[in-house]
């Protein structure tokens, strides 16, 4: 994916922790009007997972992303406590960061960068720090804007999205918070989808996504792993539907049907594994809400990991053969 912010979010979603915190993230108060989806990552809890940093750095792609983050901002990922990825429409995109690093310290760390990589400006009462990613490919040198929203909360977004994000913060906070939803307890990793908004006004032929979600209004999901369950993985979701009838239909037919379809596609080379995933689904209905939980045992989680790794290696393009007259030169 082209955008660094979203790539980093996907990277962090690959690792899940186990514990819960007692309160919702403070960053929610900076969610702008027009938000359609959220992804929250509690880095403090992730760091409690034994061997996390070693596991991250053992993966070349993960290690390169960490190095890119630290090189871009002259800041360690350990300085960040929580990340909240925000998106909506074509112009709303950003990452909210909870950090203990004061703005003066961040500015001091950025100041030594070359003038073609760092600059500062003001937008109303806010100071904007602009950082250009240091990359070898010119088209990848995106310009990022960093803005402190309070003493501990920073907005990081690409320059074209900054004005729209800040404009969305002018809407009354009660209205903005009412438009989103978060699970109780602030899990280590969770997300929110405003399905009604995401699927509204699309005049094109209905996609599989639209067909599946046509009766859904909102979805809140979370991921938990580790702890007393070792390498087990639990994916939980709560969907709010249009009415009780649509909730019953989703639970009885659509949810297991589409899960089976997805498993058949993903585990085509090993259908038994896909069947185990499908059989791990538990769901129930309560009025307009559908509660679904996919519990994957430690053994099943390991099997899935090995399978995905094999498939990734199998799909890799082999290197071009070296002509005989070029060998040993």
């Amino acid at each position: 994916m082209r955008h660094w912010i979203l790539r980093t979010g996907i990277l962090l979603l690959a690792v899940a922790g186990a514990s819960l915190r007692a309160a919702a993230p403070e960053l929610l108060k900076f969610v702008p009007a027009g938000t359609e989806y959220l992804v929250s990552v509690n880095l403090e809890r992730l760091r409690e997972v034994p061997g996390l940093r070693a596991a991250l750095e053992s993966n070349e792609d993960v290690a390169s992303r960490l190095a890119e983050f630290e090189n871009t901002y002259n800041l360690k990922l350990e300085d960040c406590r929580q990340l909240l990825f925000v998106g909506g429409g074509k112009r709303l995109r950003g990452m909210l960061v909870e950090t203990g690093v004061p703005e003066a310290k961040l500015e001091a760390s950025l100041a030594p960068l070359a003038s073609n990589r760092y600059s500062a400006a003001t937008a109303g009462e806010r100071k904007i720090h602009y950082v250009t990613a240091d990359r070898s490919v010119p088209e990848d040198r995106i310009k990022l804007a960093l803005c402190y929203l309070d003493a501990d909360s920073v907005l990081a977004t690409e320059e074209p999205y900054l004005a729209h994000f800040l404009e969305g913060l002018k809407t009354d906070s009660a209205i903005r918070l009412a438009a989103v939803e978060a699970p109780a307890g602030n899990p280590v990793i969770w997300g929110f989808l405003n399905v009604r908004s995401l699927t509204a006004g699309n005049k094109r032929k209905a996609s599989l996504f639209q067909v599946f979600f046509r009766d859904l209004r909102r979805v809140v999901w979370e991921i938990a792993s580790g702890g007393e369950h070792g390498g087990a993985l639990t994916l939980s979701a709560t969907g709010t539907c249009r009415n009780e009838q649509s909730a019953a239909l989703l639970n009885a037919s659509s949810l297991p049907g589409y899960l089976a379809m997805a498993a058949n596609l993903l585990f085509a080379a090993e259908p038994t594994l896909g069947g185990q995933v499908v059989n791990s689904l538990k769901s129930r209905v309560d009025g307009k809400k559908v509660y679904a939980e996919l519990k994957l045992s430690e053994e099943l989680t390991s099997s899935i990991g090995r399978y995905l790794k094999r498939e990734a290696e199998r799909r890799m393009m082999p290197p071009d053969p070296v002509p005989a007259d070029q060998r040993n030169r």
Side-chain angles (χ1 to χ4, degrees), residues 73 128-131 143-147 155-159 162:
Y73 300 115
I128 313 298
H129 305 273
Y130 293 103
V131 183
K143 190 173 184 179
L144 302 172
L146 290 87
C147 173
L155 165 63
T157 186
E158 294 177 36
E159 183 185 25
L162 176 65

Side-chain angles (χ1 to χ4, degrees), residues 215-238:
D215 288 326
L216 274 169
R217 294 296 179 259
R218 290 182 169 195
V219 175
V220 180
W221 57 266
E222 61 185 86
I223 301 175
S225 70
E228 70 273 20
H229 302 295
L233 186 69
T234 300
L235 297 87
S236 305
T238 301

Side-chain angles (χ1 to χ4, degrees), residues 23-45:
E26 286 293 315
L27 294 175
L28 276 177
K29 64 186 178 185
F30 296 117
V31 168
T35 295
E36 293 179 326
Y37 56 89
L38 300 171
V39 176
S40 175
V41 183
N42 188 325
L43 294 174
E44 284 187 318
R45 303 308 294 173

Side-chain angles (χ1 to χ4, degrees), residues 145-219:
L146 290 87
C147 173
Y148 271 75
L149 303 178
D150 68 12
D152 299 314
S153 305
V154 182
L155 165 63
T157 186
E158 294 177 36
E159 183 185 25
Y161 306 120
L162 176 65
H164 190 70
F165 199 107
L166 294 179
E167 183 66 27
L169 291 178
K170 295 179 180 179
T171 301
D172 183 81
S173 61
I175 296 175
R176 292 187 281 110
L177 287 172
V180 299
E181 190 174 343
N186 187 13
V188 178
I189 296 179
W190 63 268
F192 164 77
L193 291 174
N194 184 335
V195 182
R196 187 174 187 178
S197 178
L198 285 167
T199 57
N202 195 327
K203 305 300 183 182
R204 295 176 297 177
K205 185 177 179 180
S207 65
L208 190 63
F209 175 87
Q210 289 174 293
V211 171
F212 177 68
F213 287 107
R214 63 187 174 189
D215 288 326
L216 274 169
R217 294 296 179 259
R218 290 182 169 195
V219 175

Side-chain angles (χ1 to χ4, degrees), residues 15-19 42-55 188 225-227 230:
V15 185
S19 304
N42 188 325
L43 294 174
E44 284 187 318
R45 303 308 294 173
L46 281 177
R47 282 192 281 269
E48 292 179 5
V49 178
L52 173 64
R53 182 80 189 200
V188 178
S225 70

Side-chain angles (χ1 to χ4, degrees), residues 63-130:
S64 68
R65 297 295 179 214
L66 288 173
E68 179 182 1
F69 178 93
E70 295 174 357
N71 181 57
T72 298
Y73 300 115
N74 279 7
L75 195 65
K76 298 291 184 181
L77 196 62
E78 285 80 359
D79 294 321
C80 305
R81 297 195 291 261
Q82 182 126 7
L83 305 180
L84 184 64
F85 301 87
V86 179
K90 294 182 178 179
R91 294 190 297 158
L92 181 58
R93 190 174 304 162
M95 178 174 71
L96 295 168
V97 183
E98 183 183 332
T99 178
V101 177
E103 183 171 10
K105 183 177 179 180
L106 176 66
E107 185 172 8
S109 72
L110 294 173
L113 298 178
S115 58
N116 65 334
R117 286 196 56 209
Y118 172 69
S119 61
T122 57
E125 297 180 354
R126 293 189 173 98
K127 188 168 187 177
I128 313 298
H129 305 273
Y130 293 103

